[in-house]
């Protein structure tokens, strides 16, 4: 290339750069903040059907105000009350993603329990602390079931308990079977001391296979973990849970449950202020409520007077699913179904949401249909 040609090429390049520099900067692609993202989610999940329901309100349960949401495409559908786990691990803020399909077949009631989520922000901790007992939590469930039945005009509903919620949920089903189409247990608590021992053994074995000296050292320091007559302290529980989660016992094939809890950040059900304090109740209530539960075998009772459905993650060693399945095999109930989620641990509603919806529709809803409690 001669000197003239090179000069022309250089001039063209400089002109192009000048034109590019003068061009307006491209507009940012939205959403650029949480408010914009939440608005998109809220619009997409809006209930627009003529007979639908979408309510968010405070209800007085157990002497205090507690937050609930009620959503569904058709009021004629059966009601499903969700009792979340933790204690304090609310399910309402994840429901925009993993529970939208449920609302086509059920009227779904999510509830931030005592010392949980938005409810925790309504009452001072010093007032709530003396009430944080298993019996009070069970009574709250009973009051909520009674309120839902009356408010929504239903003789019976479905009660779904997850993790800690499966303890208070199962106890409610035992006391008030006549109120329920069926009880649905997810991550079902039964023989908690045995579940804890198996979870510890799982984590030790996984750490040894992995050559993880730190994990082995920390876990063996807990031995004998959950020995008969010696329930674990909250510090020991947290230490065990750390490595159970790391080796996929909370969410299969993952090292924590962040992909579930992060869903809360886009929830239209929570303001920024409520979201910033979302897990404060979990931190407050867990040391009080969890250790006593893990000291008891609540599966000793092998009779239930309403239908029983268990939805269990095959990899769940957080609340050991094999222990729950062994209990299920011995239970006498008017109807029984167990669905295994082969690619889930403790969070099958998030890990396998499609299969979870199918299980609710195919295993639970027929009980309501038989009773004439379902939209055609």
């Amino acid at each position: 290339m001669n000197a003239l040609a090179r000069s022309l090429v250089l001039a063209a390049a400089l002109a192009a750069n000048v034109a590019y520099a003068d061009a307006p900067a491209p507009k940012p692609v939205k959403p650029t903040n949480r408010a914009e993202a939440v608005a998109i989610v809220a619009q997409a999940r809006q209930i627009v059907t003529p007979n639908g329901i979408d309510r968010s309100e405070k209800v007085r349960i157990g002497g205090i105000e507690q937050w609930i949401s009620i959503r569904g495409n058709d009021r004629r559908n059966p009601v499903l009350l969700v009792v979340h786990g933790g204690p304090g691990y609310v399910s309402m803020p994840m429901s925009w993603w993993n529970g939208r399909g449920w609302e086509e077949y059920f009227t779904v009631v999510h509830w931030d329990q005592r010392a949980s989520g938005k409810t925790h922000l309504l009452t001072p901790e010093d007032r709530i602390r003396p009430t944080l007992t298993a019996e009070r939590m069970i009574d709250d469930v009973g009051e909520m079931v009674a309120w839902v039945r009356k408010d929504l005009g239903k003789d019976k509903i479905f009660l779904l308990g997850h993790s800690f919620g499966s303890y208070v949920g199962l106890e409610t089903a035992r006391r008030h079977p006549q109120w329920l189409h069926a009880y649905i247990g997810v991550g079902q608590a039964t023989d908690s001391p045995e579940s804890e021992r198996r979870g510890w053994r799982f984590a030790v074995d996984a750490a040894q296979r992995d050559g993880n000296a730190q994990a082995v050292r920390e876990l063996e320091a807990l031995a004998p973990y959950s020995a008969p007559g010696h329930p674990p302290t909250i510090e020991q529980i947290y230490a065990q849970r750390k490595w159970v989660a790391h080796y996929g016992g909370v969410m299969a094939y993952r090292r924590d449950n962040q992909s579930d809890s992060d869903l809360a950040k886009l929830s239209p059900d929570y303001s920024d202020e409520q979201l910033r304090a979302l897990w404060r109740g979990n931190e407050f209530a867990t040391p009080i409520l969890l250790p006593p539960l893990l000291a008891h075998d609540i599966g000793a009772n092998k009779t239930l007077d309403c239908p029983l459905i268990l939805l269990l993650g095959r990899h769940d060693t957080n609340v050991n699913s094999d222990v729950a399945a062994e209990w299920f095999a011995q239970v006498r109930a008017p109807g029984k179904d167990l669905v295994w989620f082969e690619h889930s641990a403790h969070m099958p509603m998030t890990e396998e949401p499609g299969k979870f919806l199918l299980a609710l529709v195919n295993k639970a809803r027929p009980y309501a249909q038989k009773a004439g409690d379902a939209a055609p």
Side-chain angles (χ1 to χ4, degrees), residues 126-148:
D126 59 355
R127 182 183 166 194
I128 290 296
R129 187 183 301 274
T131 74
L132 287 181
T133 66
E135 196 62 27
R136 179 65 262 171
M137 301 298 285
I138 295 166
D139 286 346
D140 278 5
V141 180
E143 287 190 36
M144 183 60 75
V145 172
W147 184 91
V148 167

Side-chain angles (χ1 to χ4, degrees), residues 11-199:
L14 290 172
N17 285 337
V18 169
Y20 180 78
D22 291 342
K27 293 182 179 180
V29 177
K30 292 188 176 183
T32 58
N33 55 57
R34 178 178 182 268
E36 292 174 354
V38 166
I40 294 170
V41 173
Q43 177 66 21
R45 77 194 286 252
Q46 186 177 5
I47 301 288
V48 296
T49 47
N51 203 34
I53 182 171
D54 185 358
R55 292 162 50 188
S56 178
E57 60 197 81
K58 290 175 281 189
V59 178
R60 195 159 188 85
I61 297 293
I64 63 170
E65 290 188 318
Q66 306 196 33
W67 273 104
I68 63 168
S69 76
I70 307 174
R71 290 175 46 88
N73 282 9
D74 195 320
R75 296 167 186 262
R76 295 171 296 176
N77 277 329
V79 171
L80 174 66
L81 171 61
V82 181
V83 184
H84 66 71
Y89 192 86
V90 288
S91 57
M92 191 191 305
M94 294 78 164
S95 64
W96 69 267
W97 186 81
N98 60 29
R100 181 61 184 95
W102 306 5
E103 297 161 4
E104 296 178 34
Y105 300 93
F106 301 87
T107 296
V108 183
V109 181
H110 280 281
W111 162 37
D112 285 7
Q113 299 168 52
R114 178 180 301 263
S116 302
K118 294 191 292 185
T119 294
H120 183 59
L121 302 180
L122 298 177
T123 309
E125 287 186 355
D126 59 355
R127 182 183 166 194
I128 290 296
R129 187 183 301 274
T131 74
L132 287 181
T133 66
E135 196 62 27
R136 179 65 262 171
M137 301 298 285
I138 295 166
D139 286 346
D140 278 5
V141 180
E143 287 190 36
M144 183 60 75
V145 172
W147 184 91
V148 167
R149 291 171 60 237
K150 180 179 179 180
D151 188 81
L152 297 178
K154 298 290 187 178
D155 181 49
K156 294 186 177 185
I157 70 169
F158 291 101
L159 182 63
L160 185 154
H162 174 237
S163 194
F164 175 80
S166 75
Y167 167 63
V168 293
L170 179 59
E171 289 300 312
T172 303
R174 285 171 171 160
R175 298 179 188 191
H176 306 288
Q178 73 279 9
W179 292 354
L180 306 180
H181 288 304
Y183 168 71
I184 305 165
V186 186
Q188 181 64 52
T190 53
D191 184 346
S192 293
E194 177 62 16
S195 173
E196 289 300 296
R197 286 189 287 270
R198 294 196 198 183

Side-chain angles (χ1 to χ4, degrees), residues 10 64 73 81 99 109 128 141 201 243 247 264 283 319 327 354 372 374:
L10 178 61
I64 63 170
N73 282 9
L81 171 61
V109 181
I128 290 296
V141 180
R201 184 74 261 168
W243 295 110
Y247 287 109
E283 295 166 0
V319 177
W327 169 79

Side-chain angles (χ1 to χ4, degrees), residues 275-319:
L275 189 63
R276 280 191 286 269
L278 185 61
W279 305 120
R280 195 175 296 164
N282 178 246
E283 295 166 0
F284 169 62
T286 297
I288 300 171
L289 288 169
L290 189 58
L293 165 63
L294 298 186
H296 294 291
D297 177 5
I298 68 167
N301 187 332
K302 303 296 195 302
T303 301
L304 190 64
D305 292 329
C306 67
L308 170 66
I309 301 167
L310 291 193
L311 308 180
L312 303 179
R314 183 70 73 178
H315 303 274
D316 190 353
T317 53
N318 188 69
V319 177

